Amino acid sequence: MLDPLISVAHVFKSVTDSSGTLTILRDLDFSLSAGETLAIVGASGSGKSTLLSIMAGLDTPSQGSVHVAGQDLFSLNEDERAHVRAQHMGFVFQSFQLMANLTALENVMLPLELSGGQGIAATATAMLQRVGLGERLQHYPKVLSGGEQQRVALARAFVMNPAILLADEPTGSLDHATGETILNLMFELNQERGTTLVLVTHDARVAARCQRCLVIEAGQQRDDRADRPMQDR
């Protein structure tokens, strides 16, 4: 049996201030294999985004461990965790997180430039064409619609062929029709590239498209596995 690509083992997260200690996450324990899709669902403030940040090594757990591609994230220093993210992860956010002073093409080229790859412009152009923005390469984010900006963000995330895509409410700031288009595109790219997808959402319809659903209630998990065939999602 293959080792899991991501393993979250008995993770707790607590914060302490003058009013006392608040436990955000309590004994979360699950793993994901390559190519699996997982929705993380819960009410606002339930800890969904905190869990995603811990899985990315951007936040640290109070207890527990996270392994990505066999590496214990929290045995590494910050620079080493950043290297793991660059090697294995792509990110899509609700607020797009594009660089306002860069064109669509330059935004998608940026991670390729940081990795020192070859044929950067051609690779980024092909990725933008794949998401339907071949005519918008030289446009800046301010003149793109919300849906177009999220397409750029998807292109930027997938251009590095990440093993893992972490998406935090990727349709949260879009209208329903545009959000459906973005979701369809994200799942298409996910299947084409065999990416492991971890998707934070409050929308049960979005969660139903994933193979598994991790529900967080009062900081604890309920792991529901969907049995629908992939083509039905």
Side-chain angles (χ1 to χ4, degrees):
M1 182 176 179
L2 294 176
D3 291 334
L5 183 58
I6 311 172
S7 178
V8 175
H10 303 293
V11 162
F12 290 73
K13 178 66 177 181
S14 300
V15 293
T16 302
D17 60 18
S18 58
S19 64
T21 299
L22 173 65
T23 299
I24 301 171
L25 300 173
R26 189 185 305 274
D27 199 22
L28 300 192
D29 192 87
F30 62 93
S31 61
L32 292 168
S33 300
E36 277 198 281
T37 56
L38 172 73
I40 301 173
V41 179
S44 179
S46 63
K48 304 185 300 295
S49 294
T50 299
L51 173 58
L52 202 70
S53 293
I54 289 173
M55 292 174 71
L58 295 167
D59 195 359
T60 56
S62 304
Q63 297 179 47
S65 64
V66 175
H67 286 75
V68 173
Q71 298 182 81
D72 181 351
L73 284 185
F74 301 107
S75 70
L76 307 176
N77 62 35
E78 289 187 12
D79 287 343
E80 290 167 336
R81 289 199 296 271
H83 181 66
V84 171
R85 284 192 292 273
Q87 274 193 314
H88 299 291
M89 298 180 184
F91 298 87
V92 178
F93 304 96
Q94 178 176 342
S95 57
F96 317 134
Q97 300 288 339
L98 301 179
M99 301 291 288
N101 62 328
L102 300 181
T103 65
L105 180 60
E106 290 167 340
N107 266 283
V108 178
M109 287 172 60
L110 185 59
L112 294 167
E113 291 172 338
L114 293 174
S115 72
Q118 301 294 316
I120 290 171
T123 301
T125 298
M127 194 69 236
L128 282 164
Q129 290 171 337
R130 172 62 186 84
V131 300
L133 292 178
E135 303 301 316
R136 307 287 266 167
L137 302 181
Q138 301 304 323
H139 289 72
Y140 290 90
K142 66 181 180 181
V143 298
L144 299 175
S145 68
E148 288 172 331
Q149 289 185 63
Q150 197 61 297
R151 286 172 183 263
V152 175
L154 283 175
R156 181 183 58 189
F158 277 105
V159 76
M160 295 295 293
N161 288 313
I164 303 160
L165 180 69
L166 303 175
D168 193 355
E169 298 280 9
T171 62
S173 60
L174 304 174
D175 64 73
H176 177 73
T178 304
E180 283 295 304
T181 300
I182 292 297
L183 279 174
N184 290 339
L185 180 58
M186 184 169 65
F187 278 96
E188 286 171 12
L189 289 167
N190 176 70
Q191 291 190 33
E192 286 173 13
R193 293 168 183 252
T195 308
T196 297
L197 172 64
V198 182
L199 172 64
V200 165
T201 183
H202 65 277
D203 190 332
R205 293 173 302 175
V206 175
R209 299 183 66 165
C210 294
Q211 292 166 286
R212 294 171 60 187
C213 181
L214 185 77
V215 181
I216 301 180
E217 297 173 340
Q220 296 180 299
Q221 74 180 65
R222 186 178 79 246
D223 191 357
D224 297 330
R225 185 180 292 272
D227 295 319
R228 297 177 308 281
M230 285 296 293
Q231 61 266 28
D232 291 342
R233 296 192 184 102

